[in-house]
Amino acid sequence: MFSLSLFLLIIVIPFVTMPRDIRSNSVSPYFAVVRAVLTTMVALMAVMAMAKFTGNPLFEMYHDSVVRISEAILNDSGLRDMVGLTDVADAEAKKSLIEFYDKIAMKMPGYLLLLTTIVCYFDYIILSRSQAKRQPVQLMPKFKEFSFPSSTVMAMVIMYFLAWFISKGGMEGGESIFLNINYLFDMVFCIQGASVIFMYFDLKRVPKAVPVILVIFLWNAYLLRELVVIIGIMDLIFGLKGFIVFKQQLKEQRKQDRNNGRR
């Protein structure tokens, strides 16, 4: 029940909170999305707290599900072979699976934040376009133009090291905090890096589906995801998108000069 409540809140709250910001026409689209995300996350944390106080902590519920999933995998020779545990003892294999899935469950706040951000982003696009038929509103800028403030780099680095020190200090829940901050770190700079990729492919007049497919692929490949993270960091520090745009404009200007020279 609590899990279903989380997903219902993610869907419903943005539709309730954002129309007012959209109609006011005085709030930037990004600020409206951030406010909707924060409001939704507060509601999600309240549901998690309620689950804990009623004796049904979500993490323990997910842990029980993990145990059942692990047992099901170990009892199915095909699944066991698929995950590479055919020659591993049952006790060790079960322990490895539970640790693996528990780490995924520990990053649940990070996953919920990502899902909430995506939902709020597309909700704003839908709601603003609908409202624009009745009155002037601020539409969501193209994703290629998106950029976090330059101070984001320092803020995320500080958060990362604080979380790392907490996890090493033996604080209860420290590992979960670090895993989620690490996930947030990747998510923030992946979004920034993805906007650079979208900008580059747009300037090259590549079909819009190509950067979408490429970013999804890179996000799901860990090592390549780190490359997108690096691109995002470089963009915030050195203005990579501005350099790409300048280089493309320079190239087009030279091409135009050559064409004028032939005439």
Side-chain angles (χ1 to χ4, degrees), residues 59 66 97-108 111 175-176 179-180:
F59 181 77
V66 164
L97 284 171
I98 290 174
E99 287 179 351
F100 175 75
Y101 287 111
D102 270 352
K103 281 197 172 182
I104 293 177
M106 288 170 67
K107 290 194 287 186
M108 183 175 62
Y111 295 141
E175 184 180 3
S176 178
L179 286 173
N180 281 283

Side-chain angles (χ1 to χ4, degrees), residues 4 10 14 16 19 28 30 36 67-69 82 84 109 150-152 165-166 181 186 201 206 220 240 262:
L4 179 61
I10 290 173
V16 175
S28 74
Y30 293 134
V67 172
R68 290 195 294 271
I69 292 171
M82 188 183 299
S150 57
S151 57
T152 302
F165 282 121
I166 290 172
I181 293 298
D186 280 359
F201 279 96
V206 175
N220 289 284
L240 197 56
R262 289 171 185 172

Side-chain angles (χ1 to χ4, degrees), residues 12-187:
V12 172
I13 289 179
F15 274 103
V16 175
T17 58
M18 283 198 291
R20 181 179 177 183
D21 286 337
I22 294 172
R23 287 194 299 270
S24 72
N25 204 28
S26 60
V27 177
S28 74
Y30 293 134
F31 184 82
V33 169
V34 169
R35 183 146 64 185
V37 169
L38 292 176
T39 304
T40 305
M41 290 304 296
V42 168
L44 298 183
M45 293 302 109
V47 171
M48 291 182 183
M50 189 183 302
K52 185 174 182 178
F53 290 140
T54 56
N56 298 295
L58 289 178
F59 181 77
E60 289 186 11
M61 293 168 60
Y62 291 137
H63 177 77
D64 292 341
S65 299
V66 164
V67 172
R68 290 195 294 271
I69 292 171
S70 301
E71 291 173 348
I73 291 174
L74 295 178
N75 292 329
D76 188 310
S77 58
L79 291 174
R80 187 165 182 158
D81 182 60
M82 188 183 299
V83 296
L85 295 173
T86 306
D87 301 323
V88 182
D90 285 354
E92 186 178 346
K94 184 176 180 179
K95 180 182 177 183
S96 298
L97 284 171
I98 290 174
E99 287 179 351
F100 175 75
Y101 287 111
D102 270 352
K103 281 197 172 182
I104 293 177
M106 288 170 67
K107 290 194 287 186
M108 183 175 62
Y111 295 141
L112 289 175
L113 176 60
L114 175 60
L115 178 61
T116 301
T117 302
I118 293 172
V119 170
C120 290
Y121 179 82
F122 284 104
D123 279 356
Y124 187 95
I125 293 174
I126 294 169
L127 291 169
S128 60
R129 288 182 178 180
S130 174
Q131 193 69 29
K133 297 176 182 178
R134 295 185 289 273
Q135 67 178 85
V137 297
Q138 295 189 52
L139 298 177
M140 179 67 71
K142 294 180 179 179
F143 181 66
K144 65 178 183 177
E145 299 169 0
F146 173 81
S147 182
F148 287 104
S150 57
S151 57
T152 302
V153 176
M154 184 58 67
M156 290 306 304
V157 168
I158 292 172
M159 288 175 62
Y160 182 90
F161 280 106
L162 281 175
W164 184 80
F165 282 121
I166 290 172
S167 69
K168 296 302 179 182
M171 176 181 171
E172 183 180 356
E175 184 180 3
S176 178
I177 292 172
F178 176 71
L179 286 173
N180 281 283
I181 293 298
N182 185 50
Y183 186 77
L184 178 63
F185 185 95
D186 280 359
M187 186 180 78

Side-chain angles (χ1 to χ4, degrees), residues 200-261:
Y200 177 80
F201 279 96
D202 183 70
L203 291 172
K204 297 299 181 182
R205 295 180 175 83
V206 175
K208 294 181 179 179
V210 174
V212 173
I213 295 171
L214 178 61
V215 167
I216 293 173
F217 171 74
L218 294 174
W219 174 261
N220 289 284
Y222 180 75
L223 292 177
L224 295 177
R225 185 198 306 171
E226 295 308 304
L227 175 62
V228 184
V229 169
I230 293 171
I231 292 174
I233 294 173
M234 289 179 63
D235 183 37
L236 285 174
I237 296 176
F238 302 110
L240 197 56
K241 271 189 289 196
F243 174 75
I244 292 173
V245 171
F246 174 75
K247 188 175 179 181
Q248 183 66 23
Q249 290 175 341
L250 190 62
K251 183 178 179 180
E252 291 177 356
Q253 183 63 45
R254 288 173 178 172
K255 183 178 180 180
Q256 185 177 353
D257 291 343
R258 284 198 299 270
N259 290 336
N260 291 336

